[in-house]
Amino acid sequence: MKYLSTIDGLNSLPEKIDFFLMCASYEDRTLTFYDHIEASRINNFKLFYFEEFLKCTKSNIMKYEGKFNLSKYRLSISSPISIADGLIECFSNLEYKSNVVIDISTFTRESLLIILKYLKLNSDKFSEIYLFYRCANVNPELSTRVKQIRSVLGYMGELEEYKPLHLILLSGFEILRAKEIIDTIEPDYISIGFGDEERSISKFLYEINNGFTEKIISYYKNDDVLNVFNHSLIDIYEVKDTLLKLVEDNPNHNFVIVPLSNKLSTIGAGLAALEDSRIQLCYSEVESYNTENYSHMMEECLIEVLNLNP
């Protein structure tokens, strides 16, 4: 990953962006491209938004509408198929091999994984795929209790009957959400991953993540099935390799991965599942989010050129 100031990061993107995808959010970092990119630089501006958050995102949507000639796609948190339908419509006017830039900062984890699957299935249509991530400090209170746990569209996995279920949870900042997932799935084996200090966005975020992970572990510390490991929070390919090795080391298990950490590690989990069809990815829909004080953007950003044809 390229770890840059936001201005340098934006300047490192293609001078002419064929397709730009972003998700309108209640977070302040959702205005990054509004504040710093000229409208003439983007040929096809594709703005996604979730109907459940429209009340608190409408003002930001209107700002983008006032500056860019854009197309909007209405999504629903409770309907993964709405994301897939939006993507199909989004690229319906694709006439030549194009570059695409995706601001992954404020998409939901589930929507990012569905986008990743779509890009993989249609990778021959894109010349370059850039991922832009605006770093942010997050509030320790992000969401309320879990409403539903479901497999991510396109990532059902090839689970075999009679094999023990191994849950890999990439921990973030939501203790109760993580515990509800583990207790609901009731796996035979549990692996909990968290970012180490050297491969975290910041020391502040590392300390919060580390503390929350220790609390999650404390619920299951006397259980022989618990495994704890470190993974990167800034390099999607390191995350992929870490997860694939864990799967390879346990060939007689069925694997379900639940990414609760940042969006970059979520992409890494998606890449692992795309490479190994035995992996199932799951998403936990929650009842509500802390829309008033979810995060505060940082000056730094991370950029990756996505390679879907290794």
Side-chain angles (χ1 to χ4, degrees):
M1 295 296 288
K2 294 181 180 180
Y3 198 35
L4 304 165
S5 71
T6 294
I7 298 301
D8 288 342
L10 294 172
N11 288 337
S12 72
L13 295 174
E15 183 176 347
K16 200 70 172 179
I17 299 170
D18 294 325
F19 284 83
F20 172 66
L21 278 62
M22 68 161 290
C23 184
S25 171
Y26 40 80
E27 297 182 69
D28 55 1
R29 57 180 166 170
T30 201
L31 292 175
T32 298
F33 280 75
Y34 172 81
D35 290 334
H36 302 295
I37 292 287
E38 294 300 320
S40 59
R41 193 173 167 188
I42 300 175
N43 288 335
N44 295 278
F45 192 119
K46 307 295 186 176
L47 183 92
F48 295 79
Y49 68 96
F50 286 95
E51 59 185 11
E52 291 87 350
F53 304 136
L54 185 56
K55 183 177 180 180
C56 52
T57 61
K58 189 174 183 179
S59 61
N60 288 333
I61 293 172
M62 291 176 65
K63 287 182 179 180
Y64 275 103
E65 287 179 316
K67 181 174 181 178
F68 296 91
N69 179 21
L70 53 81
S71 300
K72 295 187 297 182
Y73 304 90
R74 186 185 183 102
L75 312 177
S76 172
I77 289 288
S78 299
S79 175
I81 196 67
S82 71
I83 303 167
D85 289 343
L87 286 170
I88 293 170
E89 185 181 352
C90 165
F91 290 109
S92 62
N93 63 331
L94 182 61
E95 297 178 348
Y96 57 91
K97 202 162 188 176
S98 305
N99 67 49
V100 57
V101 174
I102 307 167
D103 183 353
I104 69 172
S105 312
T106 52
F107 277 100
T108 64
R109 297 179 185 90
E110 182 177 43
S111 58
L112 279 179
L113 291 169
I114 294 173
I115 289 171
L116 183 65
K117 180 73 173 188
Y118 178 90
L119 294 173
K120 174 65 174 178
L121 292 174
N122 298 276
S123 58
D124 60 320
K125 299 179 181 179
F126 302 103
S127 56
E128 291 176 308
I129 302 170
Y130 292 82
L131 304 180
F132 174 90
Y133 179 74
R134 181 74 181 264
C135 301
N137 287 315
V138 297
N139 192 303
E141 302 293 332
L142 295 178
S143 63
T144 58
R145 67 187 305 274
V146 173
K147 180 180 179 181
Q148 183 187 49
I149 299 172
R150 56 179 177 259
S151 60
V152 178
L153 186 65
Y155 298 89
M156 288 290 294
E158 298 172 357
L159 306 188
E160 297 183 35
E161 194 175 2
Y162 303 122
K163 280 189 176 183
L165 181 61
H166 191 146
L167 173 65
I168 303 176
L169 187 139
L170 304 185
S171 71
F173 306 100
E174 299 161 283
I175 300 172
L176 294 180
R177 189 177 187 181
K179 189 175 185 303
E180 280 193 71
I181 291 168
I182 294 172
D183 293 345
T184 300
I185 293 178
E186 296 184 331
D188 299 291
Y189 296 92
I190 307 167
S191 289
I192 297 178
F194 69 101
D196 59 24
E197 185 170 357
E198 292 183 356
R199 296 178 295 170
S200 293
I201 297 293
S202 69
K203 184 176 181 180
F204 171 73
L205 291 175
Y206 161 75
E207 290 175 348
I208 296 177
N209 183 216
N210 185 48
F212 279 25
T213 303
E214 288 180 354
K215 289 182 180 179
I216 297 169
I217 293 170
S218 69
Y219 290 112
Y220 309 98
K221 64 182 178 182
N222 295 323
D223 199 323
D224 292 336
V225 302
L226 178 65
N227 170 53
V228 181
F229 67 97
N230 288 120
H231 63 85
S232 177
L233 290 172
I234 58 175
D235 190 316
I236 60 176
Y237 296 107
E238 282 191 22
V239 177
K240 180 195 76 169
D241 292 341
T242 298
L243 294 173
L244 289 177
K245 185 178 186 307
L246 184 54
V247 172
E248 287 300 319
D249 288 345
N250 298 275
N252 296 318
H253 294 179
N254 285 322
F255 283 91
V256 172
I257 299 179
V258 181
L260 282 185
S261 195
N262 69 357
K263 306 298 172 61
L264 296 168
S265 59
T266 298
I267 294 290
L271 291 174
L274 289 177
E275 189 163 318
D276 193 327
S277 61
R278 294 173 295 177
I279 298 172
Q280 179 182 106
L281 296 183
C282 282
Y283 176 75
S284 57
E285 181 184 347
V286 297
E287 291 187 343
S288 64
Y289 290 90
N290 180 4
T291 58
E292 293 184 2
N293 190 23
Y294 191 90
S295 71
H296 297 285
M297 64 182 174
M298 298 165 60
E299 174 54 29
E300 294 79 15
C301 73
L302 287 150
I303 292 178
E304 182 68 81
V305 179
L306 189 60
N307 179 16
L308 294 176
N309 296 296

